Structure formats: C-alpha cells, structure tokens
Amino acid sequence: GESVGLHLPTLSVQEGDNSIINCAYSNSASDYFIWYKQESGKGPQFIIDIRSNMDKRQGQRVTVLLNKTVKHLSLQIAATQPGDSAVYFCAEKYASGTYKYIFGTGTRLKVLA
Amino acid sequence: DTGVSQDPRHKITKRGQNVTFRCDPISEHNRLYWYRQTLGQGPEFLTYFQNEAQLEKSRLLSDRFSAERPKGSFSTLEIQRTEQGDSAMYLCASSPSGSTNEKLFFGSGTQLSVL
C-alpha cells in the first residue's frame, strides 16, 4: 500500500549523544513533510515540519533535513535525553489538491542512561 | 483542554457488533482526519473532511466503515459487524485550513479490541 518507509526500525543512543532518524518518502510530488513523536498509549505529537522548497529547518534541539533528489528526510536530535525515547514517524503530504498525509512505519528511539 | 478529544479511550466488543467513536477537533479547525494504527505500524489514512464534506476515503475504508461530520464540528466513525481484524487504535486529527499551517494535531485515540 502507500507508505513512507524508514531505514532503521530501532535506534539506541547514549544519553547526551546526537540521534539521527532517517526516512525515505515515496512521492516526488509531495510538498510538505512532518516528523511526529509517539509515546506509548498516546497520539502522535508534532515535532517539526518542512516544506519542499527548503532543505533544512531547525527547531529546539531538532533539525530536519530534506533531500529531494533521493527522496530522503532525516530528523536530528541534539543531546538526546531519556524523554526523547519514543517512536518517531515521518509523514508526507501529497502535492497540492489533497490534504492527505501518509505515514511511515516508524523508528523506535531508545535512550540509554 | 483545547486539544483533539476522542471518546471512548478504550472499547471492547464482540465480533459482529457495531461500534461508534467520536472525535471533537480543536475549535475552528476545518479539517478532520481519521487514521487507524496497529501495533508497530504507522498510522494508516482512512478519510478526511473539510468542514462537513468528506473529501477523500482510503480503499481501506470498506463498506462496513462510515464516517460523518454533519455540522462541520465533531465527527463520528462507525464500524458495523466488527471483525477481529478491526482491532486497532483509531486516531483522529484536525488541522486548520489554509496553506500556511497544515500540521495535524492528534487526539489520544480510541483503542478497539474485537473479541
């Protein structure tokens, strides 16, 4: 079915290290991308977004990079903390004319103390 | 709390029964989405509304599933003749209209278990 894929299903990092979570998206015409964080038993929580006319966007401790040439997104988390432990999803919005968002399978981030 | 609200949080039902879930979006959000999520998977798109109009439905949404948003505010998702394969988390999300702020805000979901 339609999907946005992720390369690494589980990522373990030491507390204080930087984390990089990757995502391959499917539709070259997608114009908007979002990273979500989901903790157990909760709905996805917005982290950061980026439009297709940008290749980098920074937030607080997070950076999203977009490479349209290879249809690749990454989420970088600086100084990873125990509270960052969760499943992370990328989502793409297909091109204008629809507001349908397609999510990937997810990457579980485990922060080791 | 001005976030997306879903009710109930948990629902256990027997196979063959009908269930209905409710979603109250963030006030003034024009778009409302339903997603389904199974363990270890990302949310799967089911349908979305712009105000009261249902603009798109996934082929995952069989004829046993129906969603409504009659007044453009809250929405209901009904599953008729439930099957064990319907067991999942049903997530609702909303977003404002316009092209400058498109991110989805999710509720906590309704966990459905079909026995």
Side-chain angles (χ1 to χ4, degrees):
Chain A
E2 298 163 317
S3 67
V4 174
L6 295 176
H7 298 307
L8 298 171
T10 303
L11 177 65
S12 296
V13 298
Q14 287 295 135
E15 181 179 354
D17 287 352
N18 297 335
S19 302
I20 299 176
I21 300 172
N22 296 303
C23 172
Y25 62 92
S26 60
N27 191 334
S28 58
S30 292
D31 60 0
Y32 179 60
F33 305 87
I34 310 176
W35 279 101
Y36 282 92
K37 172 186 179 183
Q38 188 173 28
E39 296 172 299
S40 182
K42 297 183 179 179
Q45 176 186 0
F46 171 86
I47 301 173
I48 192 168
D49 57 359
I50 189 167
R51 296 200 175 277
S52 58
N53 61 354
M54 303 172 69
D55 54 19
K56 180 178 180 179
R57 191 163 189 221
Q58 289 185 291
Q60 188 176 16
R61 281 202 309 118
V62 294
T63 300
V64 55
L65 299 178
L66 175 62
N67 185 332
K68 293 182 289 293
T69 303
V70 294
K71 294 190 290 184
H72 185 267
L73 271 174
S74 68
L75 176 69
Q76 301 177 1
I77 304 173
T80 312
Q81 301 170 359
D84 295 328
S85 292
V87 179
Y88 290 80
F89 297 98
C90 65
E92 64 180 306
K93 183 179 79 69
Y94 284 4
S96 59
T98 179
Y99 288 89
K100 175 180 172 180
Y101 294 76
I102 301 300
F103 284 76
T105 307
T107 293
R108 180 173 298 281
L109 177 64
K110 293 184 178 179
V111 181
L112 308 173
Chain B
D1 185 348
T2 58
V4 177
S5 177
Q6 292 190 245
D7 183 71
R9 287 296 312 275
H10 304 274
K11 178 69 177 178
I12 299 174
T13 192
K14 293 182 179 179
R15 189 176 50 190
Q17 298 295 304
N18 300 341
V19 294
T20 300
F21 310 140
R22 177 180 171 123
C23 172
D24 287 90
I26 293 172
S27 180
E28 298 179 356
H29 276 193
N30 300 95
R31 295 194 191 101
L32 186 148
Y33 297 76
W34 285 100
Y35 281 83
R36 180 173 69 186
Q37 186 177 30
T38 53
L39 196 62
Q41 299 295 317
E44 292 178 297
F45 172 81
L46 293 179
T47 188
Y48 87 92
F49 293 82
Q50 172 88 22
N51 299 312
E52 66 275 9
Q54 189 173 19
L55 295 187
E56 194 161 347
K57 294 191 331 182
S58 167
R59 55 184 178 272
L60 293 173
L61 213 65
S62 75
D63 56 5
R64 296 186 298 106
F65 288 70
S66 62
E68 295 183 343
R69 195 183 183 198
K71 297 182 180 179
S73 56
F74 75 91
S75 176
T76 57
L77 177 68
E78 181 183 17
I79 308 174
Q80 296 182 326
R81 305 181 303 280
T82 52
E83 302 173 355
Q84 288 185 326
D86 297 330
S87 295
M89 173 76 83
Y90 290 84
L91 293 164
C92 178
S94 68
S95 74
S97 60
S99 60
T100 57
N101 185 356
E102 299 179 89
K103 55 180 170 280
L104 305 185
F105 295 83
F106 281 87
S108 296
T110 294
Q111 182 66 53
L112 173 66
S113 297
V114 182
L115 305 178

